Amino acid sequence: MSKNKAKEEGQTVLKSTGAELLLNSLVKEGVEVIFGYPGGTVLSIYDALLHSPIRHILPRHEQAAVHAADAYARVSGKVGVCLGTSGPGATNLVTGIATAYMDSIPMVVLTGQVQTTLLGTDSFQEVDISGITLPITKHSYIVKDARQIPRIVKEAFYIARTGRPGPVLIDLPKDIQAAVVEPETDELSLTSYKFFSKGNAGQIEEATRALAECERPVLYAGGGVISSGAGEILNKIVEKGNLPIVTTLMGMGSLPTTHPNLLGMVGMHGTVSANYAVNDCDLLIAVGVRFDDRVTSGLGHKFATKAKIIHIDIDPAEIGKVVKTHIPIVGDARSVLEDLSKKLVPPKIDAWWKQIHEWQKEQKSRQESSENLQELTPQNIIRVLGEKADPQAIVTTDVGQHQMWAAQYYPVLRPRQFITSGGLGTMGFGLPAAIGAQVAQPDAQVFLITGDGSFQMCIQELATTVQCQLPIKIILLNNGVLGMVRQLQKLFYEERYNQIQLRDNPDFVKVAEAYHIRGIRVTRLDEVASAIDEALAYNGPVLLDFTISEDELVFPMVPSGNEITDMIGR
């Protein structure tokens, strides 16, 4: 609190600066960590932070701040918070805001802004950040009165974490932060903001009847299962009904990958059994999914055409957007599944399981015939990592081939364990995400699985890792190319390779050592286990540079625009 006091009607009224009100409001919301980068228009906030219990993490680029806040939210289940200055500081946050928006991650983004008297004058480092981010935020505020800060912060957090979660932006002009005021009430004022937690009882009843009568059901779980905390009740439904289940990339962890009913990931790089089962099912129960084109190949009208589709989602805009929905249920995934579980009658599906087991045999045969178990391949590296890592370890990834190999081969056993950019597919996400994950769970093992292309997009965050003493272990799958782009050029552009060679890559072990990080180079399969053991025994960050072939491809693969059963490779 400021020492400024005013006499009003004979009573002493304690006043605060806007920056103090902001930080006090964040503390009331349970905020313990902010990821931010200072600048001229947010210095009042940074000055107030000197007397705040909130921990501040300083990255080396604003994009890393927002990715770290995103991953902090994914791992902890709390609202992530990041802070940037005006102009380029704010615009550097845009990619991370879009990443969080696409994956429905709760986040409050704080940006500095020029003083209110200069708004609209194109003054130094002025940008309309709320206008720029309008399509990629749930809501945004431009604070024009410092007295309203407590209410605005309370509303922002409520909007970010309720309904379909997502990022909310608060733009704070410089003079508003410095203003000394008596705060107004923080009472919520959101008459137009509504969402439905409870599903319609009649539609849930209809869904339970459809499940009892079907012969070939498939549960299809997405990121909404994770964000709603529905993993436990989903597991109960799967086991009570003996139902086969598939997941999206964002839904990984809904059920352990070791669970016998889990057929794997569905879609472009999904498993044979998952894709065939979805194509042939007569009832598809979709929970917390968007029917993304990476699953449907952009062919909503040809997706699961033999099935009656039940779509459970808290966002009514997603119902029927991509595929025709026969039983729409708008509501929170956990709440709806709990109601459905109470009335569930297990269907008789022995014949269906017999067919699925045949597809699983085919899947295993394809995999065994194509895998090279004697060479240093990404599949072998990730398999060994999964064996060596703590079962509760957190894995973050960047985007590309390594992301898909991680999704296919790493054993994900619980929700909030596998952290990746699904909807936007953001290269450079992985290292900042590992930082946010480690800050959220300081005692957990945290691994980053990345490629040499993605890694170099935020490589400067190695400094943040060291400064914050975070023992992150980096698994760098180094093939010297932009691997996924090369794969697409190989398969669909007759091997006309262009602008995918990263011939002038640095020596990543020396780069790591320059940042005071332990670096280990691995070039042979028989070195993998001992290298991972060495990394795990080391009390600090480690970079493991694995040299792999550029010819290694991610299979199976559904070419874009093909039905999900049209898989190439294994």
Side-chain angles (χ1 to χ4, degrees):
M1 282 288 185
S2 168
K3 293 181 180 179
N4 295 286
K5 295 183 178 180
K7 293 287 186 179
E8 293 185 6
E9 299 180 357
Q11 294 186 0
T12 300
V13 179
L14 194 61
K15 294 189 175 184
S16 302
T17 66
E20 290 169 339
L21 287 177
L22 173 70
L23 294 178
N24 291 338
S25 299
L26 294 178
V27 170
K28 285 182 69 175
E29 291 296 330
V31 175
E32 298 175 341
V33 181
I34 289 178
F35 301 85
Y37 202 97
T41 63
V42 290
L43 289 184
S44 291
I45 297 174
Y46 276 88
D47 188 59
L49 268 169
L50 290 170
H51 309 288
S52 172
I54 295 174
R55 179 186 181 189
H56 182 277
I57 303 294
L58 176 68
R60 297 305 184 264
H61 192 285
E62 290 91 354
Q63 182 172 333
V66 68
H67 289 328
D70 174 325
Y72 179 90
R74 296 185 198 227
V75 168
S76 68
K78 301 176 182 179
V79 178
V81 181
C82 63
L83 169 63
T85 193
S86 63
T91 56
N92 280 342
L93 299 172
V94 171
T95 297
I97 296 171
T99 301
Y101 183 78
M102 290 288 282
D103 288 347
S104 302
I105 306 303
M107 195 159 62
V108 170
V109 180
L110 307 170
T111 53
Q113 184 56 275
V114 300
Q115 64 190 53
T116 52
T117 56
L118 295 177
L119 288 171
T121 66
D122 293 331
S123 59
F124 178 66
Q125 290 194 335
E126 178 194 1
V127 295
D128 178 10
I129 191 61
S130 61
I132 289 170
T133 59
L134 183 64
I136 54 172
T137 53
K138 280 190 75 176
H139 192 57
S140 60
Y141 296 87
I142 304 176
V143 184
K144 298 290 184 67
D145 185 341
R147 295 174 299 177
Q148 298 176 355
I149 287 175
R151 174 184 59 80
I152 287 172
V153 170
K154 190 171 184 178
E155 290 182 0
F157 275 79
Y158 181 74
I159 293 170
R161 65 175 168 245
T162 57
R164 179 177 180 174
V168 177
L169 182 135
I170 304 176
D171 200 25
L172 294 143
K174 184 177 181 180
D175 55 324
I176 297 299
Q177 300 169 40
V180 179
V181 296
E182 178 188 350
E184 294 180 352
T185 176
D186 64 356
E187 184 178 348
L188 292 175
S189 178
L190 293 168
T191 55
S192 62
Y193 176 64
K194 299 184 185 302
F195 58 91
F196 300 93
S197 292
K198 293 289 290 182
N200 179 276
Q203 291 167 331
I204 292 173
E205 182 71 34
E206 186 180 357
T208 57
R209 283 198 304 270
L211 181 55
E213 296 167 0
C214 72
E215 297 178 351
R216 302 186 310 279
V218 170
L219 260 171
Y220 166 33
V225 172
I226 307 294
S227 61
S228 69
E232 185 176 345
I233 186 64
L234 182 77
N235 198 316
K236 289 181 180 178
I237 287 174
V238 167
E239 295 186 351
K240 183 178 180 180
N242 192 29
L243 303 176
I245 179 171
V246 302
T247 74
T248 65
L249 180 67
M250 291 299 300
M252 288 187 60
S254 301
L255 228 64
T257 53
T258 54
H259 196 288
N261 289 50
L262 181 61
L263 309 186
M265 189 170 66
V266 66
M268 177 177 281
H269 295 294
T271 65
V272 169
S273 57
N275 284 0
Y276 281 175
V278 167
N279 185 69
D280 271 20
C281 69
D282 66 355
L283 182 71
L284 184 66
I285 308 168
V287 188
V289 302
R290 296 186 293 114
F291 289 98
D292 177 76
D293 66 289
R294 282 299 184 266
V295 171
T296 67
S297 289
L299 300 172
H301 62 292
K302 292 185 177 181
F303 181 76
T305 55
K306 303 170 187 175
K308 177 180 286 188
I309 293 178
I310 301 170
H311 191 179
I312 302 167
D313 204 286
I314 200 162
D315 185 356
E318 292 298 336
I319 306 289
K321 186 176 79 174
V322 177
V323 301
K324 181 180 178 181
T325 302
H326 302 89
I327 306 176
I329 305 176
V330 178
D332 175 74
R334 182 169 62 179
S335 173
V336 173
L337 290 177
E338 285 172 348
D339 289 343
L340 192 148
S341 176
K342 295 171 186 175
K343 301 180 179 181
L344 186 149
V345 176
K348 297 177 181 179
I349 54 173
D350 290 347
W352 180 227
W353 269 115
K354 184 178 180 181
Q355 174 62 76
I356 290 172
H357 291 323
E358 289 299 317
W359 289 328
Q360 288 176 322
K361 288 179 184 176
E362 178 187 341
Q363 176 179 310
K364 185 177 180 182
S365 176
R366 286 194 191 193
Q367 184 172 317
E368 289 176 349
S369 65
S370 61
E371 280 195 356
N372 184 344
L373 299 178
Q374 307 304 318
E375 299 294 334
L376 183 64
T377 66
Q379 296 91 338
N380 290 333
I381 294 165
I382 294 170
R383 192 180 284 113
V384 174
L385 176 65
E387 294 169 355
K388 294 284 185 180
D390 186 305
Q392 300 301 309
I394 298 166
V395 171
T396 73
T397 82
D398 273 295
V399 170
Q401 287 180 312
H402 65 271
Q403 178 189 32
M404 293 298 102
W405 286 318
Q408 291 174 339
Y409 289 92
Y410 191 86
V412 181
L413 304 181
R414 62 176 177 84
R416 303 188 182 280
Q417 184 179 11
F418 188 79
I419 309 301
T420 194
S421 170
L424 197 66
T426 306
M427 293 176 69
F429 173 81
L431 181 53
I435 290 169
Q438 191 75 81
V439 170
Q441 289 197 13
D443 297 328
Q445 284 183 359
V446 175
F447 295 97
L448 163 62
I449 299 177
T450 187
D452 47 317
S454 285
F455 184 51
Q456 292 182 85
M457 289 199 168
C458 281
I459 196 170
Q460 74 283 344
E461 299 311 318
L462 291 174
T464 310
T465 305
V466 173
Q467 182 171 340
C468 296
Q469 298 181 333
L470 305 175
I472 296 163
K473 314 307 181 189
I474 300 168
I475 308 299
L476 175 60
L477 303 181
N478 185 357
N479 60 6
V481 294
L482 299 176
M484 188 60 84
V485 180
R486 184 183 185 278
Q487 175 165 335
L488 295 173
Q489 289 179 344
K490 176 180 178 66
L491 297 177
F492 307 117
Y493 291 86
E494 299 177 348
E495 299 186 25
R496 293 191 298 274
Y497 300 125
N498 187 24
Q499 302 304 315
I500 47 85
Q501 294 291 340
L502 302 175
R503 294 189 180 89
D504 294 318
N505 270 343
D507 182 327
F508 290 107
V509 169
K510 289 183 178 179
V511 170
E513 290 170 347
Y515 279 103
H516 311 292
I517 289 174
R518 183 80 164 267
I520 302 171
R521 181 172 289 106
V522 180
T523 59
R524 300 197 319 267
L525 180 61
D526 61 6
E527 299 172 335
V528 173
S530 60
I532 293 175
D533 284 339
E534 182 180 346
L536 292 175
Y538 184 72
N539 185 26
V542 179
L543 183 143
L544 292 145
D545 183 359
F546 294 94
T547 304
I548 64 170
S549 170
E550 65 181 25
D551 291 318
E552 197 66 43
L553 304 183
V554 179
F555 287 125
M557 181 177 186
V558 178
S560 182
N562 287 27
E563 295 182 35
I564 60 171
T565 52
D566 295 336
M567 292 171 276
I568 58 176
R570 59 175 181 273

